[in-house]
Amino acid sequence: MNAPTKTDMIAEGKAKLIYNTTDPDCVIFYFKDDATAFNAQKKGTIESKGILNNKISALFFKELKERGVENHFIEQLSEREMLVRKLEIIPVETVTRNIVAGSLQKRTGKPEGFELPNAIVEYYYKDDGLGDPMINDEHILTFGWAKREELDVIHERALQVNEFLKAYMGERGILLVDFKLEFGRTKTGEVLLGDEICPDTCRFWDAKTRKKLDKDRFRQDLGDVEAAYQEIASRVGA
Ligand code: UDP
């Protein structure tokens, strides 16, 4: 069967364009090289980032599916395009953390690199205008952003992805510091993991040298940004 083809563009995100397709249940992601940080206050491009993020995300989604962690991925269509199930996005992002960095460092005063005794799942309200503020499950339920059963699925999936990704990267000499996930509902109301999983949305450190191999190289002007994304792609075999 031929894959559905692109029709009209329905959304332009910071890193992707999203298109409707000839199949009403599917959309196509087009991965751009544009990079933003600090709620889009810092803007730039990372050469070939879209190509690398597309293939890294495709590989992670495939591996997750094989391990029973359902997600929106259908197939990689081209260098920059991925076919996925169409989801009604739930406006709650999870950040799962194993090691202190970024906003957790700021919030707790713990040093970057402090290893948590157990993984933590945090929730953020997906709203660029508000700068994606951190929220808790009571906010989510009270404002109706997700139902209790949906939140339970989201929490469980966030931990399942962590178990998979931590081990998978660990075997390849990479520490999984933290990562962001997004979820959505299918037409029938099933909650599925969506969006992308790549060095834009995860913190990856080389296990030996602790060198940052993710978007922090762009955020913090550390240089060698493209090389870091390339390094992740080659370590995971994408
Ligand atoms: N993250 C993301 N999108 C966001 C905010 C965070 O993908 O809008 C990812 C980020 O790359 C990191 C993790 O979520 O892997 C935790 O980010 P943190 O809360 O520390 O915020 P940051 O320091 O990135 O502002």
Side-chain angles (χ1 to χ4, degrees):
M1 204 186 73
N2 288 335
T5 54
K6 275 193 295 208
T7 56
D8 49 312
M9 189 173 88
I10 45 173
E12 170 154 21
K14 285 172 251 173
K16 299 189 286 293
L17 305 175
I18 304 176
Y19 293 89
N20 268 326
T21 71
T22 45
D23 181 337
D25 296 332
C26 298
V27 295
I28 289 175
F29 284 176
Y30 177 93
F31 287 77
K32 304 187 286 183
D33 288 344
D34 298 351
T36 62
F38 312 118
N39 200 27
Q41 286 173 51
K42 181 181 167 96
K43 289 191 178 131
T45 54
I46 301 170
E47 177 134 2
S48 305
K49 174 172 86 84
I51 297 171
L52 295 165
N53 283 352
N54 189 24
K55 62 182 178 182
I56 294 167
S57 291
L59 181 134
F60 288 152
F61 283 132
K62 255 186 263 173
E63 296 282 341
L64 283 164
K65 238 184 202 175
E66 278 169 23
R67 289 163 176 79
V69 184
E70 278 306 312
N71 59 71
H72 67 157
F73 180 76
I74 301 171
E75 66 174 311
Q76 191 181 337
L77 297 174
S78 68
E79 255 191 345
R80 289 180 184 269
E81 288 172 323
M82 176 189 287
L83 181 68
V84 298
R85 300 266 301 271
K86 187 172 196 166
L87 299 177
E88 177 205 349
I89 288 295
I90 295 171
V92 175
E93 301 182 348
T94 61
V95 170
T96 310
R97 303 181 182 268
N98 299 301
I99 297 175
V100 170
S103 68
L104 185 62
Q105 182 189 354
K106 290 205 196 88
R107 228 177 312 119
T108 61
K110 294 284 181 199
E112 183 181 70
F114 180 88
E115 288 186 30
L116 301 171
N118 49 265
I120 296 176
V121 179
E122 299 172 343
Y123 302 115
Y124 292 84
Y125 180 41
K126 186 175 158 64
D127 186 313
D128 284 337
L130 300 174
D132 296 348
M134 191 161 97
I135 50 174
N136 67 24
D137 51 354
E138 297 195 23
H139 298 114
I140 296 168
L141 300 176
T142 303
F143 289 103
W145 293 322
K147 297 197 182 78
R148 178 81 261 169
E149 311 81 73
E150 293 177 324
L151 199 53
D152 290 343
V153 172
I154 288 171
H155 188 266
E156 192 189 352
R157 290 277 188 282
L159 290 176
Q160 285 172 337
V161 174
N162 189 47
E163 283 313 302
F164 156 71
L165 209 54
K166 203 168 91 173
Y168 193 86
M169 299 311 281
E171 286 162 16
R172 289 154 180 84
I174 305 278
L175 292 173
L176 175 64
V177 176
D178 56 35
F179 60 95
K180 185 255 313 182
L181 297 178
E182 296 188 24
F183 297 85
R185 305 177 184 94
T186 63
K187 221 165 49 181
T188 56
E190 185 193 359
V191 172
L192 278 189
L193 171 61
D195 197 46
E196 58 188 302
I197 308 176
C198 62
D200 272 4
T201 63
C202 303
R203 285 194 170 96
F204 294 129
W205 295 351
D206 181 274
K208 276 205 198 106
T209 63
R210 299 224 155 190
K211 182 176 176 184
K212 292 175 178 167
L213 297 171
D214 55 59
K215 203 163 99 176
D216 273 351
R217 301 204 72 79
F218 170 76
R219 292 188 188 100
Q220 301 170 9
D221 294 318
L222 299 174
D224 297 335
V225 188
E226 191 201 336
Y229 282 61
Q230 194 75 63
E231 176 74 23
I232 293 297
S234 61
R235 294 254 197 128
V236 302

